[in-house]
C-alpha cells in the first residue's frame, strides 16, 4: 500500500513498536522507489559509496534490484537512510532539501558523506531509520518483490499522468486548430459577402 507522504517517521515508529516487519519493508520500499525515480544519480552514488559494484546506470528497476539484493549491507542502509531522512526532514530556513543542494555542487562519489557533515537533525534521523531497517528478517526474493511492486505501481501512475497530460494537450491543440479554422472561415465569408455587395452595387440599374 502507499503511505501518506509527510508521515514516514510516525508510520515507522508504529511499525517498529509493533515489530511489524512487513510494514517496515513496505515503508522502505515506498521511500527507496521514490528515490530511484526522482534521484537515481544519488542512489547510484549511495550504492558505490557502500562498496557495492554498480554500473553507471540510472535505470530505477536496476537500482532498486541492487538495493534489494544488498539489504544486509549496513553501509548501504546508512546511506539510503540518510537520503530518506533528508527527504522527510524539513530543512531549516526554508531552503531546498540538503540532498538536492548537494547534488548540484558536490561530486557524486563524495555526496553521501558530505551531506551528513554539519546536518545534525538529518544524521540523527538517519541513525534511527538505519536501526529500523536492520530489524526485518524477510526473504531476499520477497523483499525484492516488494520493491518491484512499488516501482511498477508508481511507474504506472506516472504513465497515466503523462497520458492524461498528452490528451489535454492534444485537445487544446485541436481546439486551437478549430478556432483558427473557424476564424479563417469567418474572414473568408465576410470578404465574400463584401465582394458580393460591391458587385451588386456595381451592376445595379443606378450604376448602369
Amino acid at each position: 500500500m502507499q503511505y501518506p507522504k509527510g508521515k514516514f517517521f510516525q508510520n515507522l515508529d508504529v511499525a517498529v513498536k509493533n515489530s511489524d516487519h512487513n510494514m517496515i519493508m513496505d515503508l522502505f520500499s515506498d521511500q527507496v522507489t521514490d528515490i530511484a525515480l526522482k534521484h537515481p544519480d544519488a542512489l547510484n552514488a549511495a550504492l558505490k559509496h557502500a562498496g557495492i559494484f554498480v554500473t553507471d546506470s540510472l535505470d530505477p528497476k536496476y537500482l532498486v534490484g541492487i538495493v534489494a539484493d544488498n539489504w544486509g549491507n549496513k553501509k548501504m542502509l546508512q546511506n539510503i537512510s540518510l537520503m530518506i531522512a533528508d527527504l522527510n526532514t524539513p530543512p531549516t530556513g526554508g531552503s531546498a532539501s540538503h540532498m538536492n543542494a548537494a547534488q548540484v555542487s558536490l561530486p557524486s562519489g563524495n555526496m553521501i558523506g558530505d551531506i551528513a557533515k554539519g546536518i545534525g537533525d538529518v544524521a540523527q534521523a538517519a541513525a534511527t531509520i538505519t536501526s529500523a531497517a536492520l530489524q526485518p528478517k524477510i526473504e531476499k526474493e520477497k523483499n525484492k518483490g516488494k520493491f518491484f511492486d512499488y516501482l511498477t505501481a508508481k511507474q504506472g501512475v506516472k504513465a497515466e499522468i503523462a497520458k492524461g497530460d498528452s490528451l489535454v494537450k492534444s485537445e487544446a491543440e485541436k481546439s486551437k486548430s478549430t478556432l483558427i479554422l473557424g476564424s479563417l472561415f469567418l474572414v473568408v465569408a465576410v470578404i465574400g459577402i463584401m465582394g458580393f455587395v460591391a458587385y451588386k452595387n456595381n451592376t445595379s440599374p443606378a450604376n448602369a
Side-chain angles (χ1 to χ4, degrees):
M1 64 175 288
Q2 293 285 329
Y3 294 95
K5 298 299 179 186
K7 294 186 178 293
F8 173 77
F9 288 112
Q10 295 94 314
N11 290 327
L12 186 63
D13 185 54
V14 169
V16 170
K17 284 180 178 176
N18 290 285
S19 298
D20 189 339
H21 294 162
N22 280 317
M23 183 177 176
I24 290 173
M25 286 311 304
D26 275 335
L27 289 167
F28 273 94
S29 299
D30 182 33
Q31 293 290 312
V32 173
T33 50
D34 266 350
I35 293 171
L37 287 167
K38 298 173 184 176
H39 307 285
D41 47 351
L43 183 53
N44 189 291
L47 294 170
K48 288 180 180 178
H49 188 266
I52 297 170
F53 174 77
V54 59
T55 70
D56 291 329
S57 172
L58 300 181
D59 176 60
K61 187 170 183 179
Y62 169 73
L63 294 173
V64 162
I66 296 291
V67 171
D69 285 339
N70 290 276
W71 198 252
N73 184 314
K74 188 173 180 180
K75 184 65 175 176
M76 181 197 75
L77 292 179
Q78 290 173 338
N79 292 344
I80 291 176
S81 295
L82 183 61
M83 288 190 286
I84 292 174
D86 179 52
L87 292 173
N88 288 276
T89 302
T92 55
S95 61
S97 79
H98 305 300
M99 185 171 73
N100 291 339
Q103 277 182 276
V104 173
S105 59
L106 296 173
S108 60
N110 298 324
M111 184 181 61
I112 304 304
D114 287 338
I115 295 172
K117 293 177 183 176
I119 307 175
D121 53 347
V122 173
Q124 186 176 355
T128 301
I129 296 171
T130 302
S131 177
L134 291 169
Q135 289 192 28
K137 304 294 181 184
I138 295 178
E139 298 89 345
K140 187 175 178 180
E141 289 308 311
K142 185 177 179 181
N143 183 15
K144 186 181 285 191
K146 281 181 181 290
F147 281 104
F148 286 160
D149 286 346
Y150 270 80
L151 187 64
T152 300
K154 288 176 182 177
Q155 287 178 320
V157 169
K158 193 175 179 181
E160 285 301 315
I161 290 173
K163 189 163 71 174
D165 288 344
S166 177
L167 183 61
V168 169
K169 186 177 180 181
S170 175
E171 288 299 321
E173 289 296 328
K174 193 185 297 181
S175 297
K176 185 178 178 182
S177 297
T178 302
L179 183 62
I180 291 172
L181 286 173
S183 298
L184 287 174
F185 177 77
L186 183 60
V187 169
V188 170
V190 169
I191 292 173
I193 291 170
M194 290 174 65
F196 178 74
V197 170
Y199 170 77
K200 291 294 287 181
N201 288 337
N202 288 332
T203 56
S204 64
N207 296 322

